[in-house]
Structures are given as C-alpha cells and as structure tokens.
Amino acid sequence: MLSTRPNVLLVLGLPQCGTARMSHVLERCGAQARNLHSLSKSQQELLRDVGNGWDSPLELPDRYLRSDAAKQFSSSLREALNGETAKDCCLACVHGMERILPLWHSALEEQNLLIQHLLVVRHPLAVVEQFRNIEGWDRDHALLVWLQSTLAMEKHSRNCSRVIVDGEQLSWDLDATLNLIESTLQLTLPERHHKSLIELDKETMEQTNSNEIKIKYTDTKKSSGSLLLKMSLQLHDWLLAESKNEERQRHLPDTIRQQLKLAEELMGRTISDICMKNKSLKQKLHSLEARRSVRFSNWLRRQQNEAA
C-alpha cells in the first residue's frame, strides 16, 4: 500500500457476476480476508426485515438505513470489526452489502481504515441465464435484480476510491485484471507473482471445463422493445467505460434509477409484479381461448348431427 493507513477492499456485486472468484484471486495474491461469516446471516435478516435482499428486484429506500433494524445491525457490525486486528491489506465480501453500503462505511471509518471498492460486473444477459437455470426466473425479473444490485453499488461507491472489473475478464486475462486493480487503487498485492498466476490460471481452466454453463445471449436487436434490457445494457457499457477511463454520460445511472422509480409510482406496484401479472394474464387468455375453441367445436358438431 502506498498509504500509511491500513485499507479494506470491499468486493461488491451479485455472486453470479464472479465476486467469490474475485475474492479468491485476491486472497491468493496476498489480501487477507476478514472473517465476517457471522455477519452474513445478520445482514440477510436486516434486508429481509425491510422487505429487501441481495436478490431483490426492488431498490432499498435510504430511510430504511436509519431504521431500528439498521441500527441494530450497525452495532453487530462494529462489534465484529472491533474483534479483528486491522491488516495492511484486507478484503470483505458479503452478498448484498452493496444495498446497505453506507452502514459498512460508517463502521469501517471508525477504525480509521482506508475504504476502497471493487465493483465486479458481468454482462446482464449472462447473469439472466444463470438466474434462469438456478432460480427459474424470467428475463425481466432477473434483469431487475441485476439493475438494482448494480445501481446500488454504483451509487454508494460514487466519489469514493473504486475500480470496476469485468467478471468475465477474470477467466481470460487475469494478469490485466490485477494490473487494473493495483494501478487504479494504488495498492500492491504482496503475493502476486508468476507462480500464483499460473496456479490461478490452471484453476480457472479446470473450473471452466467441469462447471461451464453455456451462455447464449439473446439477440439484442430482437429484444429492442424491452426497456429493462436496454437500461441494463446501457448501464453495463457505462461501467465498463469508466473502468477504461473512457468518456461517458455522467448522469446515466441516476437517470435509469429515476425511470425505474417513476414506473413503480405510476403503476402503483413494482415492475416485477407487472411482469408476473402479464404472464399470468397471458396464460389465462390462452386457457380461455382453448375452452372457447372446444365449445365452438362441440356446438358445430351438434349442428352437423341435427342437419344429418
């Protein structure tokens, strides 16, 4: 580390984006993982109490961060952090932490730690395919989850020390990914060397051969009518542009967030509810048409019998 203060690197993003893999790589390169397993359950209970979760299609309103449940979690978080000795370079990754990141910031700042953020992103359609295979979700529901998680980690890490990493790049250019992390955050991974990179590349190849899920992206031209897909692709490109230090529309994330909020307010319920209701209505309409077809066939048969 170039700073004299010990730092903590918060690994943010959906697990389907590769946060666990990213954390493993950083540990192998010398970053010390904080033992925060006890907080995972407490955090999920907090999110569940306020009607949210790491896989929620809803945005968590800021007012919930000031609730009694949030204050109780903050106390548990401080106790867990006080029980550990600050190291020169440590990392923390708890699924869903991007939703309540301000609570983590407050607790970590009390320890005089330099807080840095590593945002792991992945193509939204790749995440959709994983959710479809594992959870059975439809595309729009999965896109909402991707959008809300990604918007949360972008919002709460804005104007902070952060780096954005393409989760898929970990599989085909690990060295470049680590170069990006070290140069952007101005840190040095103490055990990053040729041998560790070779071992990590070997692990990646073995995992790819044994557990690879074939991802077939939907033709985005055919999906041009999906507003959720359009917003997801725009946000994904925007984040990757930041990682490459390229010019981008400054307020795009806030614009997308406002579009989602406006849609929910106008409809009086969540976009996810609308998608599920439309699906149910289509099924009922199909069933109704089938029954009408049967009744018409029976009527026509009776008419033919009477005529004979």
Side-chain angles (χ1 to χ4, degrees):
M1 281 293 302
L2 298 181
S3 171
T4 57
R5 296 166 59 192
N7 82 311
V8 59
L9 182 56
L10 305 180
V11 181
L12 307 173
L14 288 169
Q16 289 76 10
C17 292
T19 50
R21 170 64 178 165
M22 185 74 258
S23 298
H24 174 68
V25 167
L26 293 172
E27 286 185 60
R28 291 290 298 272
C29 292
Q32 302 295 314
R34 286 250 180 171
N35 184 17
L36 301 174
H37 296 296
S38 61
L39 287 172
S40 179
K41 182 179 179 181
S42 299
Q43 179 173 275
Q44 295 311 315
E45 289 176 350
L46 165 63
L47 292 172
R48 189 164 54 250
D49 288 344
V50 298
N52 207 274
W54 71 263
D55 57 351
S56 173
L58 305 176
E59 180 182 10
L60 180 65
D62 290 340
R63 65 178 181 275
Y64 287 118
L65 299 177
R66 299 184 293 273
S67 65
D68 291 338
K71 293 176 182 177
Q72 183 176 354
F73 173 77
S74 295
S75 298
S76 300
L77 178 57
R78 288 182 173 87
E79 290 178 5
L81 294 175
N82 289 334
E84 289 200 14
T85 303
K87 305 176 180 67
D88 289 339
C89 182
C90 61
L91 63 92
C93 179
V94 180
H95 295 155
M97 68 185 337
E98 67 273 7
R99 307 269 184 155
I100 56 171
L101 199 56
L103 301 181
W104 283 84
H105 284 168
S106 297
L108 291 168
E109 286 169 357
E110 290 183 4
Q111 290 198 324
N112 194 33
L113 292 170
L114 176 63
I115 306 172
Q116 298 181 304
H117 307 80
L118 196 162
L119 284 63
V120 184
V121 299
R122 194 179 178 199
H123 196 287
L125 289 178
V127 175
V128 164
E129 193 66 22
Q130 284 208 336
F131 277 133
R132 191 199 311 275
N133 292 334
I134 299 172
E135 305 290 346
W137 293 346
D138 61 32
R139 187 189 65 183
D140 284 349
H141 182 90
L143 285 174
L144 269 173
V145 173
W146 184 93
L147 275 168
Q148 296 294 6
S149 172
T150 307
L151 286 169
M153 68 179 182
E154 191 285 323
K155 173 186 176 182
H156 295 313
S157 66
R158 192 182 304 167
N159 300 323
C160 299
S161 175
R162 75 180 185 186
V163 61
I164 298 172
V165 169
D166 183 353
E168 295 177 348
Q169 189 180 19
L170 282 172
S171 301
W172 53 267
D173 199 349
L174 177 59
D175 201 36
T177 302
L178 294 175
N179 285 340
L180 175 65
I181 294 171
E182 289 188 322
S183 61
T184 304
L185 300 181
Q186 297 185 354
L187 59 81
T188 300
L189 295 169
E191 296 181 19
R192 179 191 173 187
H193 44 68
H194 185 64
K195 181 180 178 181
S196 63
L197 293 180
I198 291 178
E199 292 174 349
L200 286 168
D201 283 336
K202 183 179 179 181
E203 289 179 8
T204 299
M205 292 180 63
E206 292 175 350
Q207 292 175 358
T208 300
N209 292 334
S210 60
N211 301 320
E212 182 179 13
I213 297 178
K214 301 296 182 182
I215 303 298
K216 295 181 180 179
Y217 294 162
T218 304
D219 187 343
T220 54
K221 293 182 179 179
K222 294 180 181 179
S223 304
S224 57
S226 170
L227 179 59
L228 289 176
L229 178 56
K230 181 180 178 181
M231 290 190 291
S232 300
L233 295 175
Q234 287 178 335
L235 182 58
H236 177 260
D237 292 344
W238 188 93
L239 289 167
L240 292 186
E242 177 178 323
S243 71
K244 300 172 185 175
N245 206 22
E246 296 176 350
E247 185 177 350
R248 63 199 183 283
Q249 184 182 344
R250 182 179 178 183
H251 300 293
L252 178 67
D254 289 334
T255 300
I256 292 175
R257 183 179 296 103
Q258 289 302 319
Q259 287 175 332
L260 291 176
K261 281 185 177 179
L262 180 61
E264 292 182 7
E265 291 171 0
L266 289 176
M267 298 300 179
R269 49 189 177 273
T270 69
I271 298 176
S272 181
D273 291 337
I274 295 294
C275 295
M276 296 300 293
K277 184 174 182 179
N278 286 342
K279 183 178 180 180
S280 176
L281 288 175
K282 287 180 181 179
Q283 292 174 344
K284 290 180 180 179
L285 180 60
H286 178 75
S287 177
L288 179 61
E289 290 176 345
R291 291 198 299 269
R292 285 178 176 175
S293 178
V294 170
R295 287 198 296 268
F296 178 75
S297 297
N298 292 337
W299 176 85
L300 184 60
R301 190 178 300 110
R302 287 196 300 269
Q303 293 298 317
Q304 291 173 345
N305 292 336
E306 291 175 0

